[in-house]
Amino acid sequence: MSIYKNIFHYYRGQTSKGSEDTKQLQIENNTTKAFINVLQNSSQILTMKLTIWLGLNGNEKDTFEYMYQVSNELHRKTPQAVVIGIAETKNMINNLQMKKYYIPDGAILSENVSILIETKIGLNSYLEINQLEGHKKRFAINQKVEKNIILTWSDIRNFLQEQYQFFKQSNDVLTCFLLEQFEEFCVINCIGGAKTNEYFFLQFEKVKAQKLARKIHDYIWNESGYQDIQDAGTKDGIGYKRVRKPKFATLSIQRQRHFILHIGKKEERLGLSIQEEIDKVLSRNFHRPDYEIEKYPHEAYIRLEWVDSFEQIKPYIDLAYNLR
């Protein structure tokens, strides 16, 4: 599935405006909304199980109400109330700057429980103690409030994955679909986990390209018979190298997302002739600007969505491996 076909993934489009902080805030808001949407549109049993998992008194007869960005005070007292904070870690900071009003990111309400939710994403974004305490002012007057519950996104993902098995056995197609979509959304955006191979596979927009990326990875590691493969460790994709030698291939998510073959030594300029061969095989020319040709003459590029069969590019992977 393309990352932009994921029902929760927000497409920002191409823009030169906005900082990384703005982008992170968009993802943070979208993650909260996605989590609440899963609960709201799934079986009510899922939310009931969540309240029990949180140590609250879940009731099978509960009917839940869901809110996003809670700007008004709650007027109904419930037997239990709690603020839960969700972030990448359970580490918290004490921000001494107090605000008059704090707005919880979401809420789950029933006759028995009132839950206010604060979320953070990113390894450098921490829950703030003052913010969590400030959220308690949103509860009804004289509401007894439980001790704050601090969770990680990894905790949330693990809980939902466990519930997926329950709903799969009960053949709840809609709930399973929403849980699958939320898990994929978390993988795409590195919520509750580091960048995995699956994260990089999903960055390729076409389903065809994603399948081929997985096939390339499986071939290099398991099917090729290569005896001395190592992870090359690159932040913009998955790199493959031989022991004590440079990379010979990279599944790259930079620019237009493509597969790079690093062929021989730079001064040999073999990438240029191999690029011509690959372009003829695929009947498509990979355009490379002059400055890039001069900088990387030992590299050949493959757009995975142009490949009809893995067998078309397999010989060139072997060639890159052998010439490194």
Side-chain angles (χ1 to χ4, degrees):
M1 175 172 287
S2 165
I3 61 176
Y4 302 128
K5 290 182 181 179
N6 181 279
I7 63 173
F8 298 123
H9 188 78
Y10 173 61
Y11 177 58
R12 297 179 67 245
Q14 297 294 324
T15 176
S16 59
K17 298 180 180 179
S19 64
E20 282 301 310
D21 289 340
T22 301
K23 180 180 178 182
Q24 179 156 314
L25 179 60
Q26 289 175 329
I27 298 175
E28 184 171 286
N29 291 339
N30 205 36
T31 302
T32 307
K33 186 175 183 295
F35 177 53
I36 293 174
N37 284 163
V38 168
L39 298 173
Q40 186 174 21
N41 294 286
S42 296
S43 165
Q44 292 276 286
I45 295 174
L46 179 60
T47 306
M48 185 269 291
K49 284 176 166 287
L50 175 67
T51 59
I52 294 174
W53 179 65
L54 293 172
L56 304 172
N57 297 326
N59 190 314
E60 292 183 1
K61 296 181 180 180
D62 274 348
T63 299
F64 295 97
E65 176 185 358
Y66 306 87
M67 299 176 67
Y68 179 66
Q69 295 291 314
V70 186
S71 57
N72 297 319
E73 284 71 27
L74 307 178
H75 298 293
R76 183 174 59 196
K77 287 177 60 177
T78 54
Q80 286 186 299
V82 68
V83 175
I84 69 172
I86 311 172
E88 290 296 337
T89 75
K90 293 186 178 182
N91 297 330
M92 294 190 290
I93 60 174
N94 192 357
N95 189 342
L96 299 179
Q97 184 179 359
M98 293 291 292
K99 296 181 180 179
K100 188 175 181 180
Y101 297 106
Y102 288 96
I103 299 178
D105 293 320
I108 303 170
L109 309 170
S110 74
E111 293 289 339
N112 288 294
V113 296
S114 299
I115 302 172
L116 295 178
I117 303 169
E118 176 62 34
T119 64
K120 302 289 183 186
I121 67 162
L123 293 174
N124 296 318
S125 295
Y126 302 104
L127 294 165
E128 298 178 12
I129 296 173
N130 288 345
Q131 189 176 33
L132 297 180
E133 293 301 313
H135 288 338
K136 294 179 179 179
K137 296 179 180 179
R138 296 289 176 187
F139 288 119
I141 297 174
N142 297 323
Q143 171 71 63
K144 180 182 177 182
V145 183
E146 308 286 336
K147 181 180 178 182
N148 296 339
I149 298 175
I150 308 302
L151 303 168
T152 66
W153 282 112
S154 179
D155 294 332
I156 294 294
R157 285 178 63 181
N158 289 339
F159 166 77
L160 293 178
Q161 287 172 27
E162 289 175 3
Q163 300 314 308
Y164 175 81
Q165 299 304 319
F166 170 83
F167 290 105
K168 187 176 182 180
Q169 291 176 2
S170 58
N171 200 31
D172 187 331
V173 177
L174 176 59
T175 299
C176 286
F177 171 74
L178 291 171
L179 291 172
E180 288 169 352
Q181 289 286 297
F182 185 76
E183 173 63 17
E184 183 183 74
F185 170 85
C186 289
V187 172
I188 292 169
N189 293 286
C190 296
I191 307 296
K195 291 180 180 178
T196 62
N197 289 339
E198 187 63 17
Y199 163 83
F200 290 113
F201 298 149
L202 288 171
Q203 300 308 304
F204 289 88
E205 295 185 29
K206 302 287 186 180
V207 175
K208 176 183 179 181
Q210 293 174 7
K211 289 181 178 179
L212 183 56
R214 294 187 182 97
K215 173 63 179 177
I216 290 169
H217 183 79
D218 190 51
Y219 172 75
I220 290 175
W221 278 103
N222 302 314
E223 299 176 359
S224 63
Y226 302 159
Q227 298 297 316
D228 54 351
I229 297 299
Q230 282 186 331
D231 182 355
T234 175
K235 65 178 182 179
D236 296 316
I238 306 174
Y240 309 91
K241 61 175 289 187
R242 301 181 66 172
V243 176
R244 294 186 294 277
K245 293 186 178 181
K247 283 190 298 183
F248 67 88
T250 305
L251 281 167
S252 174
I253 63 171
Q254 285 190 326
R255 298 186 296 279
Q256 298 182 15
R257 305 176 183 86
H258 44 256
F259 182 47
I260 306 173
L261 294 173
H262 312 270
I263 306 169
K265 297 179 180 180
K266 185 174 181 178
E267 58 269 22
E268 295 171 332
R269 302 175 70 85
L270 293 175
L272 303 181
S273 58
I274 298 302
Q275 185 76 67
E276 291 181 3
E277 287 188 29
I278 292 173
D279 288 349
K280 288 180 181 179
V281 169
L282 302 182
S283 301
R284 300 285 291 271
N285 292 327
F286 191 101
H287 174 70
R288 298 172 63 180
D290 291 340
Y291 76 87
E292 192 175 82
I293 290 175
E294 290 306 312
K295 190 173 183 180
Y296 306 110
H298 61 302
E299 293 183 351
Y301 297 75
I302 301 172
R303 289 286 297 275
L304 297 188
E305 58 268 34
W306 295 352
V307 180
D308 292 325
S309 166
F310 173 71
E311 295 302 317
Q312 291 178 302
I313 63 172
K314 177 177 173 289
Y316 300 104
I317 300 175
D318 293 338
L319 177 66
Y321 168 82
N322 289 322
L323 292 180
R324 271 310 209 202

